[in-house]
Amino acid sequence: MSMPAKPRRTRANLNQFSIGQLHFRNPWVVAFFSFAYPGFGHLMQHRYAPAFILIGWELFINNMAQLNVGILYSMIGDFDMAKQVLSDKWLILYVGIYMLSIWDSYRTTVDLNKQYILADREDAEISGFVIGAWDINYMDKRKPWVAMMWSVLVPGLGHLYVHKVIIGFFIFGYTVLILNGANIPLAIKYSMLGDFMQAKAVIHMQWLMYLPSIYFFILYDAYISSIEYNILCEKELSRYLRQNYQHPHFELPV
C-alpha cells in the first residue's frame, strides 16, 4: 500500500518564536515599504536574513552619505546646503542596493502570492500548538487595534503581542538605537523642563529622519499581521472540523 503523498506546500509554519505564513500581499505596498526603508519589505515577507542585511546596510550607508540631512534641506528648499552635506562617493554606492531592495521585494511578493494559491488548494495540515524549551506558541485570535496601540506606546510590543518575537525584539532594539542616536530622550527631558531651545539644539536630524518610516511600518505591520493570523486561525480550525466532524459523504455546494 502506497503512503499518502507529503504536501509540497503549507500555508504556515508555527514555531516557538514566530508564525511564518503565506498570504496575499499587495506587491506595491511591499515595494513602497522597501522604498521608504530598505529591508522593511523583506521583513514583511518573513525573509529575515535579507531584511536584516538591508536594514543594517541602510543605516551604515545613509549615515556615511548624510542622505537624511540632504533630504531635510531639500524639503525646506535649501538645495545648495543639501549639495554641500551629501557625500558623493557614498551616495553612488547607495543607489544600486536601494533599487535592488525595491525590485526584489516586489518580485518575490508576486511569486509568494502564487505559492499561496497553490498552498491554499493543497490545504495541508497546520500545527496549531508548539511547546519548546524557550517558549509556547499556539493559534489564537488577536485584536488588530490592540496590536497597533501597543506599537504606538513602544515599538515592537505590538509584534510581541501577535507572537512575532524575532521581529518584535529586533524592532525594539533598532528603534532604541535610532532614538538614542537622535537624542530624543534628552530632547524630551528639556521639553518637560520648558527649555525648548535646548531641546531643539540637541536633536540630531540625520537620525531623527529615520523615525517616520520606522513608525509607519511598525504600526502597519503589527495591524496587518494580527488580521492575517486571525484568518489563518480560522482556516486551521475549519480544516480540523472538516477532517474530524464532517460526514464523509457530505456534498459540498457547487
Side-chain angles (χ1 to χ4, degrees), residues 1-212:
M1 185 174 65
S2 60
M3 297 294 290
K6 183 180 178 181
R8 293 187 65 192
R9 300 170 183 86
T10 181
R11 285 187 295 255
N13 176 50
L14 197 76
N15 58 59
Q16 296 179 56
F17 304 108
S18 187
I19 302 175
Q21 70 172 121
L22 294 173
H23 63 80
F24 277 116
R25 294 181 176 89
N26 187 326
W28 292 106
V29 172
V30 179
F32 167 77
F33 279 110
S34 290
F35 167 80
Y37 205 109
F40 281 176
H42 294 79
L43 209 58
M44 293 175 66
Q45 300 170 335
H46 299 267
R47 300 177 61 206
Y48 298 136
F52 294 156
I53 292 171
L54 288 169
I55 291 171
W57 172 255
E58 164 67 16
L59 184 65
F60 169 75
I61 196 70
N62 195 314
N63 281 329
M64 297 303 294
Q66 290 292 295
L67 182 61
N68 282 347
V69 179
I71 292 173
L72 176 64
Y73 283 123
S74 299
M75 291 173 64
I76 62 177
D78 193 347
F79 300 107
D80 290 333
M81 194 63 186
K83 292 177 183 178
Q84 291 180 30
V85 299
L86 287 173
S87 174
D88 293 340
K89 66 177 182 179
W90 290 104
L91 189 62
I92 291 173
L93 294 175
Y94 183 89
V95 177
I97 296 180
Y98 180 72
M99 297 302 295
L100 170 71
S101 172
I102 299 171
W103 172 80
D104 188 61
S105 62
Y106 180 92
R107 176 190 65 85
T108 52
T109 301
V110 172
D111 289 342
L112 289 174
N113 284 345
K114 296 175 182 178
Q115 295 295 326
Y116 171 75
I117 294 173
L118 297 173
D120 199 49
R121 289 177 179 174
E122 284 192 62
D123 197 25
E125 183 179 359
I126 304 170
S127 174
F129 185 88
V130 173
I131 185 169
W134 287 92
D135 205 350
I136 299 172
N137 196 5
Y138 53 90
M139 290 284 186
D140 187 25
K141 284 198 169 186
R142 295 171 174 87
K143 297 178 181 178
W145 67 269
V146 173
M148 189 167 66
M149 287 301 100
W150 277 115
S151 294
V152 170
L153 183 63
V154 178
L157 294 189
H159 289 80
L160 293 180
Y161 170 70
V162 296
H163 211 95
K164 296 178 79 168
V165 177
I166 297 173
I167 296 180
F169 275 111
F170 174 77
I171 286 173
F172 177 77
Y174 194 71
T175 307
V176 168
L177 174 67
I178 299 297
L179 290 173
N180 278 284
N183 288 325
I184 297 298
L186 275 178
I188 293 173
K189 171 192 169 183
Y190 287 124
S191 298
M192 293 174 68
L193 294 174
D195 192 350
F196 300 108
M197 292 298 293
Q198 185 64 24
K200 183 179 178 181
V202 298
I203 290 179
H204 197 304
M205 295 305 298
Q206 168 64 26
W207 289 82
L208 183 66
M209 291 287 288
Y210 288 118
L211 288 178

Side-chain angles (χ1 to χ4, degrees), residues 11 126 128 139 231-240:
R11 285 187 295 255
I126 304 170
M139 290 284 186
I231 294 172
L232 181 66
C233 183
E234 291 176 357
K235 285 181 176 291
E236 190 274 335
L237 180 59
S238 173
R239 186 186 187 281
Y240 175 80

